[in-house]
Amino acid sequence: MGEHTQGPWKFIEDDGRQVDDCLGPYTICDEARNDLASVYSRENATVAISRTCAIANARLIATAPDLLKAALMLDSLETRIDHGDEEASADWPHAMTALRAAIAKAC
């Protein structure tokens, strides 16, 4: 797997101003507030994406490390179960909690 900036990533909702009042671009950064990505909408660039869609995209992008972590946890659990690890099922609720938290953050 390739190297990427470690999470968590954050969607900076325009440094305190209401997202609905901001035309963007919308910034995704790491914990040290290093910019990782900017998401544009038709209000601030020559793209055909609405502001609402750009904000949703920014939230989803910011959730990528959390989603990857949850996917890796579930993949590991499946491998453990396939190899007969009877204690793997005890870790299932934790993995599902991580997955649900990542999904909630993305939405």
Side-chain angles (χ1 to χ4, degrees):
M1 193 175 328
E3 281 294 314
H4 65 275
T5 302
Q6 295 300 305
W9 294 354
K10 299 178 186 277
F11 166 41
I12 301 301
E13 300 196 19
D14 204 48
D15 292 330
R17 288 186 290 172
Q18 293 293 330
V19 171
D20 293 337
D21 297 335
C22 176
L23 297 178
Y26 306 103
T27 303
I28 292 91
C29 65
D30 64 10
E31 282 192 304
R33 294 186 64 98
N34 295 305
D35 291 358
L36 301 174
S38 294
V39 177
Y40 295 86
S41 69
R42 65 176 164 240
E43 286 83 3
N44 60 29
T46 55
V47 297
I49 298 170
S50 71
R51 182 170 47 191
T52 301
C53 185
I55 291 167
N57 289 345
R59 287 189 177 120
L60 180 60
I61 292 165
T63 309
D66 302 308
L67 290 167
L68 176 60
K69 181 179 177 181
L72 291 171
M73 288 172 66
L74 290 168
D75 183 59
S76 174
L77 279 175
E78 181 184 44
T79 300
R80 289 172 54 198
I81 290 167
D82 287 348
H83 288 94
D85 183 346
E86 295 177 10
E87 295 178 13
S89 62
D91 293 330
W92 184 260
H94 177 67
M96 289 305 298
T97 298
L99 177 62
R100 289 183 182 117
I103 292 169
K105 182 179 173 183
C107 299

